[in-house]
Amino acid sequence: MSSPASTSSLSPLYPNVKLVPRPNTERGGANHGWLKTFHTFSFAGYWDPRYDSFGNLRVINEDRVEPSEGFGTHGHREMEIFSYVVSGELEHKDSMGNLEILKRGDVQLTSAGTGIRHSEYNRNNKSVVHFLQIWAEPHTRNLRPRYFTRHFTDEEKTDKLVTIVAPVGSEGVQEEREGSGPAPVQSNVTLKSTILTPGKSVEHVFPAPASGEIQRKSYVHVIQTSGYNTGAAKGNQIRVNGGLELSEGDGSFAWGAAGDKLQIENIGSTPAEVLVFDIE
């Protein structure tokens, strides 16, 4: 996804910030019965050359897996893979010997490196598991596979923009399997999360762009917390930079120079759970 012409009408508070919406109705996806999935970027049977990746951000899949179903054992290599659990329980099992049940607030990151095999199952026989699976391309290849988990409570994220995944070497990032602070990723991608209550707002400040670039990238995604919906987005509502309005399942690409901002305001009547990606 390349930077478009100026779209200042969508960003009146910060006219230099460019915003391009990605409506819920335009996401790829499928209903396989056992799996209901949305794809922000080209994935599996969905391909759109306009949405192959965004910088190092390669996949944002919003998945719902039925009770007692899941993804069987399969392999990955040279990819940073993280799961953000919205509701339900997700079992992760891999070739490194990790076996864990992930719940709401958990973030699990697998640095696949030279190669791993894993499975992801909903072992609960009553409740659907709803989670986002996110892939980022690593900045270094041939690394040893690693596994990390972090937990962030709703209280921590309420009306605050909390960094939950950040590049190795960033402030507050610890390379421990379990610990406090953001999960460490071997990629130039940072993930932040917030649960915004009505009338409240948070800000993301664009860091300096990478060497040779004039703008930094960001992506905003409103999680579809009130239920599976393939139609026009509804439910929780936010406004970005005083102009662009997004509801559940909607997203937006953004470009900005160092110091530019994304102001995200809840303009609805219920809390909105929002992810914000910073991409070098």
Side-chain angles (χ1 to χ4, degrees):
M1 183 70 184
S2 58
S3 177
S6 178
T7 52
S8 59
S9 62
L10 296 179
S11 180
L13 290 180
Y14 300 97
N16 292 329
V17 173
K18 300 177 183 179
L19 299 174
V20 175
R22 181 78 162 112
N24 181 59
T25 51
E26 295 182 8
R27 288 194 289 178
N31 183 347
H32 299 289
W34 68 273
L35 167 68
K36 296 179 177 71
T37 182
F38 292 101
H39 309 313
T40 297
F41 300 103
S42 297
F43 189 88
Y46 167 69
W47 183 77
D48 187 325
R50 297 173 299 169
Y51 305 113
D52 186 57
S53 61
F54 191 44
N56 285 341
L57 184 58
R58 178 62 189 84
V59 169
I60 306 175
N61 289 349
E62 188 163 359
D63 292 341
R64 289 174 172 84
V65 177
E66 292 295 310
S68 304
E69 298 285 355
F71 300 92
T73 303
H74 57 283
H76 293 282
R77 60 182 295 121
E78 304 301 353
M79 195 65 70
E80 303 291 291
I81 303 165
F82 32 113
S83 299
Y84 179 101
V85 181
V86 180
S87 62
E89 300 177 351
L90 181 68
E91 179 198 83
H92 174 98
K93 183 178 181 180
D94 65 37
S95 55
M96 294 181 282
N98 298 295
L99 176 61
E100 191 161 10
I101 302 293
L102 307 167
K103 300 180 181 180
R104 175 163 177 79
D106 287 337
V107 177
Q108 185 275 320
L109 191 151
T110 297
S111 181
T114 54
I116 57 100
R117 293 180 63 79
H118 73 174
S119 62
E120 294 159 306
Y121 267 91
N122 179 6
R123 298 296 184 188
N124 190 297
N125 60 12
K126 295 181 180 179
S127 301
V128 170
V129 61
H130 176 198
F131 69 106
L132 284 93
Q133 184 173 155
I134 299 157
W135 297 7
E137 296 174 347
H139 52 54
T140 305
R141 301 179 69 85
N142 297 314
L143 294 170
R144 174 172 63 90
R146 302 283 301 277
Y147 177 95
F148 305 95
T149 58
R150 298 291 187 268
H151 181 79
F152 300 89
T153 66
D154 284 4
E155 183 179 10
E156 287 178 273
K157 293 182 285 188
T158 297
D159 299 330
K160 295 181 288 291
L161 191 57
V162 178
T163 301
I164 61 175
V165 175
V168 170
S170 300
E171 183 179 356
V173 174
Q174 303 177 45
E175 292 189 68
E176 300 174 355
R177 185 187 186 280
E178 299 176 6
S180 60
V185 65
Q186 300 282 352
S187 183
N188 298 320
V189 171
T190 298
L191 174 58
K192 301 179 180 182
S193 175
T194 184
I195 300 171
L196 272 181
T197 57
K200 298 293 185 178
S201 63
V202 293
E203 286 187 341
H204 166 69
V205 180
F206 284 89
S211 177
E213 301 288 334
I214 60 173
Q215 292 178 311
R216 188 91 169 194
K217 302 178 183 70
S218 185
Y219 189 82
V220 177
H221 177 75
V222 185
I223 298 176
Q224 207 179 64
T225 50
S226 62
Y228 177 70
N229 170 36
T230 59
K234 57 184 180 179
N236 305 319
Q237 293 179 294
I238 65 169
R239 181 185 291 128
V240 181
N241 284 3
L244 177 63
E245 296 185 3
L246 304 173
S247 294
E248 293 182 26
D250 288 338
S252 179
F253 298 94
W255 293 260
D260 282 339
K261 295 179 180 180
L262 290 176
Q263 184 198 77
I264 301 167
E265 177 189 8
N266 186 334
I267 59 171
S269 59
T270 51
E273 191 162 1
V274 182
L275 299 180
V276 179
F277 296 83
D278 171 62
I279 305 144
E280 186 178 303

